[in-house]
């Protein structure tokens, strides 16, 4: 197995440098940068065999189990070398990954059979973790989705606030008391912002009991319970009609089998002159599969769609796509902030769980950031209406609204609330 992995790395590492320390202590250097190469140690033959047979799953599991160990460098540095080179070489450079992707495509519809019961279980797997975990690496508003970096040097607080106003502007909340459905409302930050800053009346739905309790408590604390209500409800069970519909970071959990039902629900519950905005992770290189490690440990049943996979069920539903925006690298920057905050609070997080959990979450944050930097992952924002005239003919209203709202926000609300010791805000 070592010979196979050696040949694979020789073929793949064409940029930077990587040193592999084998179980017997021998070292092999790959790539042109021998002086600046980052090192990893494989502690036993199980690690070698796992990487050769199923690298997409094994690398993360080996790191979790302490069988793949970065030496005098960080996990991020090792993974950056691997993923940057994989992006350059293409999946054909790793035949077993290519073969497993083909198999994953064949079975992906079965894995994404997210009926109401299975959806609830999948959501609980990740979102019903101890609430303090998320407070230790997210922004104050607990926005657990891609932020919006218009300049690129914003703090996390600024970028998440800008994301909410960017989405609100696309919803065209141009008069008070518009009814809004927030599908997958998380801890309530978006719903509370729409009610507080735009005068909307919002119904937020979630399948997470932890998020539901926190969202309701926040609405009560902010005196917005009369304008915002949160319910434990599957999107398929919604019956009421709304002026506006928003969904941020939830569509990734729908599953490709259920896209027709999802957009049919949006069409059915959106009023005739209504506007909907779907914000989701997507892939720019066409249909694919979910990484097996992510699927097993982080988001069971999850899938980030290609735009082509979204558009056909949108068209068949009778909805009109009135605006599509592709956010590139915004999520990479968001994840960079989360990764730094997680590292700074690692000791506190370890008191909530254990070392293996911390390693799992580190690998998740690092791998996800690099997927947005070097691979096909992006974010889509798709605006939908039932009629052509529901939104203005030109996009100027989006920019005008978000600039007006952001300029009215007090500086304290946009300030960075966290800087790791020894680092500048933009390090």
């Amino acid at each position: 197995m070592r010979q196979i992995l050696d040949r694979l790395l020789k073929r793949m590492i064409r940029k930077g440098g990587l040193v592999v320390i084998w179980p017997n202590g021998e070292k092999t250097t790959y790539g042109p940068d021998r002086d600046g190469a980052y090192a990893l140690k494989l502690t036993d033959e199980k690690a070698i065999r796992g990487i050769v047979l199923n690298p997409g799953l094994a690398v993360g599991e080996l790191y979790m189990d302490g069988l793949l160990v970065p030496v005098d460098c960080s996990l991020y540095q090792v993974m950056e070398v691997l993923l940057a080179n994989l992006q350059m070489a293409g999946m054909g450079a790793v035949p077993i990954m290519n073969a497993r992707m083909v198999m994953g495509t064949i079975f992906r519809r079965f894995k994404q059979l997210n009926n109401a019961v299975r959806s609830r279980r999948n959501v609980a797997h990740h979102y019903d973790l101890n609430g303090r975990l998320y407070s230790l690496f997210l922004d104050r508003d607990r926005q657990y989705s891609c932020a919006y970096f218009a300049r690129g040097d914003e703090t996390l607080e600024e970028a998440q606030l800008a994301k909410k106003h960017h989405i609100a502007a696309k919803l065209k909340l141009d008069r008070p008391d518009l009814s809004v459905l927030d599908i997958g409302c998380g801890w309530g930050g978006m719903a509370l912002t729409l009610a507080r800053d735009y005068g909307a009346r919002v119904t937020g739905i979630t399948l997470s009991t932890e998020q539901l309790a926190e969202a309701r408590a926040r609405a009560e604390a902010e005196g917005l319970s009369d304008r915002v209500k949160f319910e434990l409800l599957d999107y398929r069970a919604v019956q009421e009609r709304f002026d506006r519909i928003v969904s941020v970071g939830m569509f990734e959990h729908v599953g490709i089998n259920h896209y027709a039902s999802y957009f049919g629900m949006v069409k059915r519950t959106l009023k005739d002159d209504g506007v909907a905005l779907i914000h989701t992770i997507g892939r720019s290189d066409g249909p694919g599969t979910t990484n097996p490690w992510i699927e097993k440990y982080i988001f069971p049943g999850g899938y980030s769609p290609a735009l082509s996979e979204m558009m056909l069920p949108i068209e068949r539903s009778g909805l009109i796509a009135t605006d599509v925006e592709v956010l590139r690298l915004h999520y990479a920057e968001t994840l960079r902030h989360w990764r730094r905050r997680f590292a700074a609070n690692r000791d506190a997080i370890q008191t909530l769980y254990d070392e293996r959990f911390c390693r799992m979450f580190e690998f998740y944050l690092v791998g996800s950031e690099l997927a947005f930097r070097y691979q096909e992952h992006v974010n889509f924002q798709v605006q939908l209406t039932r009629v052509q005239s529901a939104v203005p003919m030109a996009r100027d209203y989006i920019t005008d609204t978000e600039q007006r709202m952001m300029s009215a926000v007090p500086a304290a609300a946009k300030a960075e609330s966290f800087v790791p010791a020894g680092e500048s805000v933009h390090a």
Side-chain angles (χ1 to χ4, degrees), residues 115-132:
N115 58 31
V117 174
R118 194 171 182 179
S119 293
R120 173 68 187 90
R121 186 172 65 246
N122 290 343
V123 165
H125 178 89
H126 191 78
Y127 295 100
D128 281 351
L129 296 173
N130 189 308
R132 186 161 180 256

Side-chain angles (χ1 to χ4, degrees), residues 379-426:
N379 266 81
F380 300 132
Q381 288 188 351
V382 182
Q383 184 192 62
L384 303 168
T385 67
R386 291 172 63 107
V387 296
Q388 296 273 20
S389 58
V391 292
M393 292 175 65
R395 302 183 81 251
D396 304 49
Y397 71 98
I398 299 173
T399 303
D400 292 345
T401 300
E402 63 183 320
Q403 287 182 348
R404 183 178 72 254
M405 296 304 296
M406 286 297 291
S407 65
V409 175
K414 296 185 286 187
E416 178 83 322
S417 62
F418 167 86
V419 180
E423 294 191 28
S424 66
V425 171
H426 304 300

